[in-house]
Amino acid sequence: MTHSPSPTPPAKAGAAPKSAVQKALAKLGLVSDIDLALHLPLRYEDETHISKLSQAREGDTIQIEAVVTKSEVSFRPRRQLIVTVDDGSDVCTLRFFSFYPSQQKALAVGNRVRARGEVKGGFLGWTMLHPVCRSAVGDLPKVLTPIYPTVAGLPQHVLRKEVLAGLARADLSDTFSPGDLSQVNHHALWTLRDALHFLHQPKADVALATLQDHSHPAWQRLKAEELLAQQISQLHSRRVRAHLRAPLLSLVVAEPTGPDAEPVLLSLHDGLLAKLPFALTAAQQRVQAEIARDMARLVPMHRLLQGDVGAGKTVVAALAAAICIDAGWQCALMAPTEILAEQHFRKLIGWLEPLGVTTAWLTGTQKAKERRDMLAMVESGEAQLVVGTHAIIQEKVHFKNLALAIIDEQHRFGVAQRLALRSKLRHESMEPHLLMMTATPIPRTLAMSYYADLDVSTLDELPPGRTPVVTKLLNESRRDEVVQRIRAQVELGRQVYWVCPLIEESEALDLTNATQTYADLQAAMQGVVGPDGQAAQVGLLHSRMAAPDKKAVMASFVEGHTAVLVSTTVIEVGVDVANASLMVIEHAERFGLSQLHQLRGRVGRGAAASVCVLLYSTPEGSRLGETARERLKAMVETNDGFEIARRDLEIRGPGEFLGARQSGDAMLRFADLGSDGALLDWARREAHVLLDKHPALAQRHLERWLGAKSEYLKA
Ligand code: ADP
Ligand code: MG
């Protein structure tokens, strides 16, 4: 039986030199036998039976077996091969706009052929455009024909042959723990061998829908395999970390002294707690205890603190820093932007410096002299707390005894930077404790699978006294109303953010430029006076400004001198101005969902009712794109960061959600975390069993699924 999908004739493709095929396979990442065996079909075509034309319905995709009664090349309206075939029940016209001479020959009058394609009815009877044709010799195939993802130069029938050969050679022996199959049976899983053979060549009577939605037991087995590999690699790296050593940072407890003794000097930690103008929420107390417990162990902490914007992560970080400094070690706090670092710096200084802590500050834009002084303080150990941007992990920075590194908005740092941080901060044979913070909560299934080697603490409660932000969606045409609203807010003494997506007019993206908006708002605020009798000031902040200018603009807003701050997304993270009660986001349709949520989190930090206005615009006469609409809808419908994260994951998929394209993390190809939670639970348990009792199987499983990447994951 010859398989010759049109338009490539068999003779030509079959003769492709081996090395070219292998090159094409390599492009698909198919190098070893197991790679080939795991290259699964995108879909299937059913060539297992023949339909009669007389029973066809318009638009059906069918295979017919018929005799060619007429074959001609026509030149009007353009060159085409027109073939008429008769299957005994009716006739059908086959049309080819591109064809090889060999195809024309195969479709000569009198030949019996099988043609597969979509039939269209019409005036002139049935027609098929570019059907797949082959000569009607031999039996019909007994299985569905798989269609694989491929690349140019690698026709389906060649790839199919390679895949089946790889499948036959590959070691498909079981790597699940032997004996205890009850768990596996619970999921009705097949063996890997059966599952792969089936998926490459399913019997024609299979319910196609179960292959498409991956609910078929064969698919379940593959998903279970894949999730297991991921869980083993994460559990393995967690265990490797358990053998590393970290400084023991235990909370200093004041010794009880006799009734007449002098008052004991308070620890920094207790001193800070006593000085805070608010009581910790129950959630803050809980996560604080989780962190303190980790730091009091000799194993490096590897903890993610997640909490919605405004949940109060900074104070938790400050308390962790206090424990570290109390124990006589240095603490570093790294933030992705200078503005954010500055905010932390100010807050932490405000809290800790009066308690006697010495702080150093490192950024890329520092003056040489200042930087030298700071570096000296870091190296001598005089600086107990070091705050800054990426500058902290640069080569010239030497800590005397760093024991705790805190990374804020960790998702903004790439995996490479995080790895650099860890190795950079290694102190002799000691690893520092690592606390990462994020305001982009990670949905549970993602946390379990991609961050399984992280411990997660969640701030699931906002500090009291917040009024939820009301979100409004307005068309750009209603900009004037928004400006009116701004004037009213400013007259009440409130402050306003206006966020623009780009700095300069770009011809390609017709975006309003921040400078123009700034000028417009300045004009609109003429004559507006705040309750203090001062004329309203408008400020402009964008990423191309020099650092000192940025700082000055920000400081003026923080101190309340500036009423309206026009800004590009530089304010995205962490800025804390409780008096701001209105946030306007222009071209909101251009922002990602978690970005919008972060921006919205800048307001609603005080007791005043706050509003977030999402201004959107659409090109003349058209509608918002589907995903943009979903994002804006999610923003209006919920304020809950976890729900936002869940929807974001749904809209973008885990790859983009995690930014994994750049990170090199192994992504899941088959499993869908949205629907495979039960398998994930199983995979977690199985990974423990394998690593504990059958390490050789675990190793084999990892190599099979991750190949070269398994080394990276062990790193
Ligand atoms: P985020 O989690 O987004 O980093 P922040 O740490 O900036 O949030 O906290 C937001 C605001 O809430 C800050 O002004 C902070 O001082 C305040 N805050 C934090 N914890 C509490 C609390 N328990 N009670 C009242 N206000 C709090
Ligand atoms: Mg923060």
Side-chain angles (χ1 to χ4, degrees):
M1 185 180 64
T2 51
H3 273 259
S4 58
S6 166
T8 317
K12 238 182 166 170
K18 191 96 184 149
S19 66
V21 170
Q22 272 161 354
K23 259 190 220 155
L25 289 173
K27 263 194 212 157
L28 290 167
L30 307 180
V31 181
S32 64
D33 292 338
I34 191 71
D35 294 340
L36 287 161
L38 294 175
H39 190 62
L40 294 180
L42 277 178
R43 59 187 176 86
Y44 303 91
E45 278 174 3
D46 187 353
E47 297 174 322
T48 61
H49 67 269
I50 301 292
S51 306
K52 282 288 174 200
L53 279 168
S54 56
Q55 271 147 35
R57 283 168 314 179
E58 169 80 22
D60 281 353
T61 295
I62 56 169
Q63 177 171 242
I64 56 171
E65 188 167 313
V67 175
V68 178
T69 54
K70 200 169 151 198
S71 176
E72 60 177 24
V73 175
S74 155
F75 290 88
R76 251 169 303 176
R78 50 186 272 213
R79 185 171 178 270
Q80 55 183 293
L81 173 63
I82 302 176
V83 177
T84 307
V85 297
D86 185 338
D87 78 345
S89 75
D90 203 345
V91 294
C92 181
T93 307
L94 316 180
R95 247 175 235 282
F96 303 85
F97 290 109
S98 67
F99 53 94
Y100 292 94
S102 59
Q103 271 177 305
Q104 193 180 353
K105 221 171 109 205
L107 291 166
V109 172
N111 285 0
R112 194 168 180 81
V113 297
R114 289 179 194 142
R116 186 171 186 286
E118 187 182 338
V119 284
K120 295 258 192 235
F123 238 8
L124 304 171
W126 294 118
T127 63
M128 280 188 190
L129 187 62
H130 283 256
V132 179
C133 296
R134 60 193 51 146
S135 70
V137 288
D139 297 334
L140 287 169
K142 301 237 173 348
V143 295
L144 299 181
T145 308
I147 307 295
Y148 294 102
T150 189
V151 289
L154 187 61
Q156 283 295 331
H157 70 281
V158 176
L159 178 54
R160 204 173 291 150
K161 224 176 84 204
E162 295 289 336
V163 165
L164 291 181
L167 179 66
R169 288 187 306 253
D171 167 18
L172 300 178
S173 57
D174 227 285
T175 46
F176 287 4
S177 57
D180 180 24
L181 283 174
S182 57
Q183 295 286 0
V184 178
N185 286 341
H186 173 67
H187 293 287
L189 299 181
W190 291 15
T191 65
L192 179 63
R193 176 183 308 280
D194 289 350
L196 282 176
H197 279 275
F198 180 84
L199 291 176
H200 286 293
Q201 302 206 289
K203 296 238 166 56
D205 60 0
V206 67
L208 264 181
T210 64
L211 294 184
Q212 256 134 34
D213 69 9
H214 294 189
S215 64
H216 191 279
W219 267 115
Q220 294 288 318
R221 168 72 192 217
L222 278 155
K223 295 197 281 192
E225 289 257 334
E226 179 178 50
L227 288 167
L228 179 59
Q230 190 198 40
Q231 292 302 308
I232 292 173
S233 80
Q234 301 248 357
L235 185 59
H236 181 76
S237 50
R238 176 188 278 269
R239 290 184 175 187
V240 166
R241 192 159 39 80
H243 292 292
L244 300 175
R245 284 290 159 260
L248 190 149
L249 308 173
S250 55
L251 196 56
V252 180
V253 182
E255 293 280 327
T257 48
D260 305 323
E262 288 289 300
V264 179
L265 199 64
L266 271 186
S267 68
L268 187 55
H269 175 270
D270 294 349
L272 174 57
L273 265 185
K275 233 189 82 183
L276 287 175
F278 47 75
L280 295 186
T281 62
Q284 282 170 323
Q285 286 174 22
R286 176 171 41 76
V287 303
Q288 154 70 7
E290 286 165 0
I291 292 165
R293 203 179 322 121
D294 279 1
M295 289 172 33
R297 295 176 62 218
L298 286 167
V299 174
M301 169 166 71
H302 201 221
R303 188 170 282 278
L304 179 71
L305 169 57
Q306 57 175 2
D308 212 343
V309 238
K313 295 183 287 295
T314 314
V315 66
V316 174
L319 287 166
I323 292 175
C324 169
I325 295 166
D326 271 333
W329 296 76
Q330 287 177 300
C331 171
L333 177 64
M334 186 161 98
T337 69
E338 208 158 308
I339 287 194
L340 187 55
E342 156 103 42
Q343 286 261 322
H344 279 298
F345 191 56
R346 201 200 337 267
K347 264 226 157 104
L348 285 160
I349 276 194
W351 283 332
L352 294 176
E353 222 163 52
L355 299 172
V357 173
T358 309
T359 314
W361 153 249
L362 287 173
T363 72
T365 58
Q366 252 162 345
K367 296 226 170 61
K369 160 92 172 67
E370 187 188 351
R371 184 172 169 76
R372 261 200 316 276
D373 293 348
M374 293 291 176
L375 286 177
M377 281 170 69
V378 174
E379 189 155 3
S380 71
E382 185 192 345
Q384 296 161 294
L385 179 68
V386 183
V387 186
T389 59
H390 305 81
I392 288 186
I393 49 172
Q394 267 147 23
E395 244 168 70
K396 294 206 185 78
V397 186
H398 302 286
F399 287 90
K400 175 160 181 264
N401 61 353
L402 182 77
L404 172 65
I406 304 175
I407 311 180
D408 200 9
E409 307 298 343
Q410 63 91 27
H411 63 284
R412 305 248 309 216
F413 293 99
V415 166
Q417 281 168 320
R418 269 180 271 159
L419 289 178
L421 178 80
R422 262 164 78 180
S423 63
K424 163 79 198 166
L425 300 181
R426 193 165 297 155
H427 177 76
E428 288 160 17
S429 62
M430 301 264 235
E431 290 261 329
H433 295 283
L434 194 56
L435 176 63
M436 292 166 268
M437 306 200 287
T438 182
T440 305
I442 300 160
R444 180 178 161 275
T445 44
L446 269 192
M448 275 172 65
S449 71
Y450 290 98
Y451 291 101
D453 78 326
L454 269 188
D455 296 303
V456 179
S457 287
T458 305
L459 278 179
D460 50 8
E461 178 188 358
L462 292 181
R466 304 272 171 89
T467 328
V469 180
V470 174
T471 302
K472 299 204 162 141
L473 195 54
L474 287 185
N475 192 290
E476 165 71 25
S477 62
R478 294 173 66 185
R479 198 183 172 98
D480 287 348
E481 286 171 48
V482 177
V483 172
Q484 281 311 317
R485 196 178 198 123
I486 293 177
R487 293 169 61 104
Q489 286 294 303
V490 171
E491 277 166 359
L492 288 172
R494 298 275 152 65
Q495 288 172 281
V496 179
Y497 292 103
W498 184 298
V499 181
C500 310
L502 269 192
I503 313 171
E504 275 161 9
E505 203 80 57
S506 140
E507 279 168 13
L509 305 161
D510 181 24
L511 296 177
T512 316
N513 102 32
T515 321
Q516 185 59 47
T517 303
Y518 170 62
D520 292 349
L521 284 175
Q522 266 186 324
M525 290 304 126
Q526 285 295 328
V528 178
V529 177
D532 57 358
Q534 301 287 316
Q537 299 290 317
V538 182
L540 173 63
L541 190 65
H542 62 70
S543 51
R544 296 204 190 159
M545 285 164 60
D549 297 342
K550 275 190 209 168
K551 265 183 216 165
V553 172
M554 207 54 230
S556 167
F557 190 67
V558 170
E559 283 150 25
H561 302 313
T562 298
V564 182
L565 181 64
V566 178
S567 151
T568 55
T569 50
V570 284
I571 61 153
E572 184 186 334
V573 281
V575 178
D576 188 19
V577 177
N579 188 46
S581 60
L582 175 58
M583 159 77 56
V584 181
I585 304 175
E586 196 170 349
H587 279 295
E589 76 281 359
R590 307 239 184 219
F591 290 86
L593 186 48
S594 67
Q595 209 180 6
L596 287 172
H597 180 66
Q598 298 251 341
L599 285 168
R600 175 169 61 183
R602 301 302 116 220
V603 293
R605 299 200 150 207
S610 298
V611 174
C612 173
V613 175
L614 303 176
L615 274 181
Y616 69 93
S617 57
T618 51
E620 197 82 34
S622 69
R623 300 188 336 136
L624 275 181
E626 174 90 25
T627 55
R629 203 148 10 108
E630 278 178 45
R631 288 196 297 265
L632 298 178
K633 189 163 161 267
M635 282 294 289
V636 173
E637 285 173 0
T638 181
N639 267 314
D640 176 353
F642 282 87
E643 177 61 14
I644 292 275
R646 200 188 58 72
R647 297 219 201 167
D648 202 20
L649 176 64
E650 219 169 75
I651 296 171
R652 293 197 288 167
E656 279 188 63
F657 184 89
L658 296 171
R661 290 226 174 111
Q662 305 92 307
S663 75
D665 285 349
M667 295 303 302
L668 294 171
R669 290 150 66 195
F670 305 131
D672 172 357
L673 293 174
S675 53
D676 296 327
L679 281 179
L680 181 57
D681 285 333
W682 167 81
R684 252 156 78 101
R685 290 192 302 272
E686 177 72 1
H688 278 277
V689 174
L690 280 184
L691 279 177
D692 287 342
K693 300 198 184 131
H694 310 284
L697 283 182
Q699 184 61 29
R700 188 137 55 83
H701 189 83
L702 265 195
E703 272 158 22
R704 175 179 290 168
W705 277 89
L706 301 173
K709 273 182 258 144
S710 60
E711 281 311 307
Y712 174 85
L713 288 165
K714 272 182 244 159

